[in-house]
Amino acid sequence: MKIKSIIVDDEKHGRENLAGLLREYCPEVLVLGEANSVAAAVLLIEKHDPDLVFLDIEMPKENGFRLLETLGHARFEVIFVTAFDNYAIKAIRFSAADYILKPINYNDLVEAVKRVSHRVLQKQENQRVNELARNIQQPENPRIGLPTGDRIEFIEVRKIIHCKGEGNYTHIYLQDKRRLLVAKTLVDFEELLNDYAFIRTHKSHLVNLHHVSAYLKTDGGTLELSNGDRVNISRRRKDAVQEVLKTLTQ
Amino acid sequence: MEDFLSRAEPKAQQLLLMNDTIRLSDIFPSDWKNFILYNKEGEHIGNAKSPLEATNLMKQYLVQPKEKTIDKSVLITVIIVLVALLVLVVSVLLVWKWRVQQQFRKEQRERRLRELELTAIRSQMNPHFLFNSLNSVQNLVQKNMGREAHLYLADFAGLIRKVLNNSEKEEVSLAEELEMTEQYLRLEQLRFDFDYSMEIDSEIDVHNTLVPSMLLQPFVENAIVHGLQNKTSDRKLKITMKRRDSEIKIEIEDNGVGREAAKELSKTKNGKGTKLISERLQLLKEKQGEKYLLETIDLPEGTRVEIIIPEEN
């Protein structure tokens, strides 16, 4: 079965390049059309009802995220294609959506298409992109996408109590007492969550400040959290943690 | 003292004695006991309990009478010298402070200039532009257009090389600036279609005229990104340079959507580059004491930026 797709990019070379790479490296993807703006993309999507949209983010007039907002609910999968935009890439990673960077490494393209086509063939609903759109529309209560095994859980950031890193994996401790194991490093989570009052207290601990219930002076500093867990503060981070806690109590 | 004054009666007998040839004992009987002595100026000299003692005191005073007056003039001189010294010290301090301040202001200006230059470099190194350009080159490779890919890659490398080199310089020759602008334009052209032209007055010695480095890029980029990219066809950019009197007038003109429309469309960072370069020109003006001028004019169709830079003489 072929995957029906369209390409959205304001630059002609961008569209041509991707189409060429897809022909060569992803023959299972069928490109039904190309759009150079969000408005044109909306029409193409209505016409072709694609399984997959390759979406450039930075475009004059309206950016790629606007397409998701315009459509409200996306039935199709999206692979974002972007040259550079820190903010956008962060938002995409936050929802665990797929993206590739320009200039395109064809290995990345093949990988992304493989992940997406798996979901297309299983007729799984496209949760990631809809969650991304939701986060963009409601930035005050974002949900983060946590891939666990073959599925993905979307968890409200405020319900994460703390994260504990263990090699390439991270344990996520939730308010409802559950614990998730995610195949991402603690550094990844630190990057994604540092806008939401999370602080690294130790090389293997990331803590949600809203869930700190006490500061204990034992063992050179320990934080007690709302679920009763105790988390160490390393010597080198002690000053920074105290500083943040001070501003919090004020 | 009070005591003596009260006893010195009658007042008529308080004598003014300035001459030691007069003997007090000749005038006053020896049993007179209280004498108060004054000099001509009415200054109190001393008190005595007998005419003899009074005479001696008088003599003593007259032997060294000048010392006191000298003392006074010395005092005045000392005061004058001290005041003069004080004034000198204060003025030296003020001058010193002024110079320090001047120095500080100069350093501040230099620092700000460096910052602005760095910002100019960063905007030239705009990652969105860089990666999209590379992506376009990748497309040429993908389409087996080796020759074009080769040329654009060379332009790309040339541009980056110049940015890296020029980042250490405050000024570059107009020729270098123009070459850099042209490489930038060719790469932008690869990304989307527009025409550009450059007209340089033959009277201008481009190799020996120095301009602030990366002067043109922000305006050219604005013209393309805000003016032309928001338009669908017939996109033109024109750069002209004319010499008049001892100035060079640079015009960057596009036939794009104009500033107002661009602002509405993009809602973002519009005009930041212009503000930065205008601040930079202002600082250069202060530093070199020469005239720089920057003006943006809205045309019926598009926008024109005029920059006037002084010719060195």
Side-chain angles (χ1 to χ4, degrees), chain A residues 11-14 16-17 20-21 24 58 60-61 83-84 102-104, chain B residues 127-128 131-132 134-136 138-140 142-143 190-191 229-230 265:
Chain A
E11 289 178 30
K12 185 165 151 272
H13 278 273
E16 267 184 27
N17 188 38
L21 289 168
E24 191 164 343
E58 188 80 9
K61 295 184 189 174
F84 178 86
K102 291 184 201 173
I104 297 163
Chain B
H128 189 246
F131 296 129
N132 271 314
L134 281 174
N135 197 52
S136 300
Q138 187 181 48
N139 184 37
L140 296 172
Q142 183 64 23
K143 290 199 294 188
L190 181 62
R191 294 177 54 198
Q229 237 178 50
N230 287 318
L265 282 168

Side-chain angles (χ1 to χ4, degrees), chain A residues 225-244:
Chain A
L225 306 175
S226 60
N227 62 350
D229 283 358
R230 288 187 179 182
V231 167
N232 286 337
I233 301 171
S234 69
R235 194 181 308 146
R236 77 169 74 161
R237 297 181 206 260
K238 200 172 163 184
D239 287 350
V241 172
Q242 279 176 336
E243 198 62 29
V244 173

Side-chain angles (χ1 to χ4, degrees), chain B residues 47 54 168 230 250 253:
Chain B
N47 306 315
E168 289 159 20
N230 287 318
I250 305 171
E253 189 179 317

Side-chain angles (χ1 to χ4, degrees), chain A residues 37-229:
Chain A
S37 69
V38 167
V42 172
L43 294 175
L44 265 188
I45 288 167
E46 279 171 7
K47 189 175 162 199
H48 293 295
D49 186 26
D51 304 314
L52 171 60
V53 173
F54 291 93
L55 185 56
D56 184 21
I57 296 164
E58 188 80 9
M59 291 186 280
K61 295 184 189 174
E62 292 177 300
N63 76 19
F65 288 154
R66 287 280 298 156
L67 176 67
L68 304 177
E69 290 178 50
T70 311
L71 292 174
H73 188 86
R75 201 203 60 78
F76 47 83
E77 287 288 336
V78 176
I79 293 177
F80 292 97
V81 188
T82 184
F84 178 86
D85 190 333
N86 266 332
Y87 167 76
I89 291 176
K90 203 168 166 180
I92 294 166
R93 284 175 51 204
F94 202 86
S95 307
D98 293 284
Y99 70 97
I100 47 177
L101 294 170
K102 291 184 201 173
I104 297 163
N105 177 337
Y106 68 83
N107 289 314
D108 293 347
L109 177 66
V110 169
E111 282 301 313
V113 167
K114 212 185 271 173
R115 279 195 301 270
V116 168
S117 57
H118 174 73
R119 298 201 290 266
V120 169
L121 297 176
Q122 306 257 309
K123 300 232 188 278
Q124 281 177 13
E125 200 192 354
N126 179 3
Q127 229 180 336
R128 295 159 205 252
V129 173
N130 289 327
E131 286 287 340
L132 172 59
R134 181 191 165 279
N135 283 346
I136 291 164
Q137 279 156 1
Q138 305 170 29
E140 65 287 344
N141 182 24
R143 285 205 285 243
I144 186 168
L146 303 174
T148 56
D150 58 346
R151 56 194 222 100
I152 187 163
E153 284 213 45
F154 286 90
I155 304 288
E156 283 177 50
V157 166
R158 60 183 180 188
K159 293 191 173 154
I160 298 175
I161 294 170
H162 68 114
C163 310
K164 187 176 156 205
E166 225 177 73
N168 285 332
Y169 288 86
T170 301
H171 297 280
I172 313 275
Y173 295 81
L174 302 173
Q175 214 171 13
D176 57 13
K177 311 259 189 242
R178 282 195 304 146
R179 197 177 86 175
L180 302 179
L181 183 62
V182 181
K184 273 184 183 177
T185 64
L186 193 61
V187 175
D188 287 329
F189 282 104
E190 189 184 9
E191 247 177 65
L192 291 176
L193 294 170
N194 63 6
D195 296 341
Y196 304 102
F198 276 72
I199 185 169
R200 190 91 175 258
T201 63
H202 184 271
K203 72 177 196 307
S204 46
H205 291 294
L206 184 68
V207 170
N208 186 346
L209 284 169
H210 297 304
H211 283 285
V212 174
S213 50
Y215 175 83
L216 311 170
K217 284 187 176 156
T218 50
D219 301 336
T222 306
L223 290 180
E224 193 177 271
L225 306 175
S226 60
N227 62 350
D229 283 358

Side-chain angles (χ1 to χ4, degrees), chain B residues 64-257:
Chain B
Q64 21 166 288
K66 267 153 204 161
E67 268 189 20
K68 265 210 163 157
T69 47
I70 287 169
D71 259 356
K72 208 175 146 194
S73 65
V74 164
L75 195 71
I76 289 168
T77 321
V78 166
I79 288 172
I80 289 172
V81 167
L82 276 178
V83 168
L85 256 163
L86 195 73
V87 168
L88 193 74
V89 167
V90 166
S91 48
V92 163
L93 271 174
L94 281 176
V95 167
W96 181 71
K97 199 182 161 201
W98 179 76
R99 287 201 52 177
V100 166
Q101 244 170 17
Q102 205 72 356
Q103 187 66 27
F104 179 70
R105 230 172 273 155
K106 195 180 155 198
E107 275 165 21
Q108 223 177 11
R109 197 168 58 202
E110 287 293 320
R111 203 165 41 229
R112 185 69 190 139
L113 261 178
R114 288 287 98 74
E115 277 173 22
L116 289 169
E117 278 158 25
L118 277 177
T119 317
I121 294 160
R122 225 172 292 139
S123 73
Q124 179 88 62
M125 290 289 218
N126 172 351
H128 189 246
F129 161 72
L130 293 184
F131 296 129
N132 271 314
S133 298
L134 281 174
N135 197 52
S136 300
V137 176
Q138 187 181 48
N139 184 37
L140 296 172
V141 175
Q142 183 64 23
K143 290 199 294 188
N144 286 323
M145 293 168 71
R147 196 184 162 79
E148 282 80 358
H150 174 110
L151 289 174
Y152 283 115
L153 212 46
D155 268 342
F156 189 84
L159 183 64
I160 290 184
R161 191 171 296 122
K162 280 201 192 60
V163 170
L164 289 176
N165 285 339
N166 293 355
S167 61
E168 289 159 20
K169 301 180 201 161
E170 189 169 284
E171 291 183 310
V172 296
S173 77
L174 192 54
E176 282 177 278
E177 182 69 13
L178 283 169
E179 196 187 340
M180 192 159 116
T181 306
E182 195 149 17
Q183 283 172 334
Y184 172 73
L185 283 168
R186 279 201 295 262
L187 286 165
E188 284 284 19
Q189 245 184 349
L190 181 62
R191 294 177 54 198
F192 77 109
D193 262 344
F194 66 91
D195 291 324
Y196 73 83
S197 64
M198 283 177 147
E199 279 169 43
I200 316 298
D201 197 338
S202 56
E203 265 182 65
I204 301 173
D205 180 355
V206 289
H207 294 286
N208 293 307
T209 302
L210 295 181
V211 295
S213 62
M214 280 168 283
L215 172 72
L216 300 180
Q217 201 271 341
F219 302 108
V220 174
E221 186 176 336
N222 271 351
I224 293 171
V225 174
H226 300 297
L228 299 179
Q229 237 178 50
N230 287 318
K231 204 181 169 201
T232 41
S233 61
D234 183 39
R235 301 185 271 210
K236 286 195 180 86
L237 178 77
K238 195 168 86 184
I239 299 174
T240 53
M241 294 195 191
K242 287 185 199 111
R243 182 163 173 266
R244 59 167 200 205
D245 305 330
S246 56
E247 294 171 345
I248 293 171
K249 187 179 179 193
I250 305 171
E251 289 182 1
I252 300 153
E253 189 179 317
D254 68 72
N255 67 349
V257 294

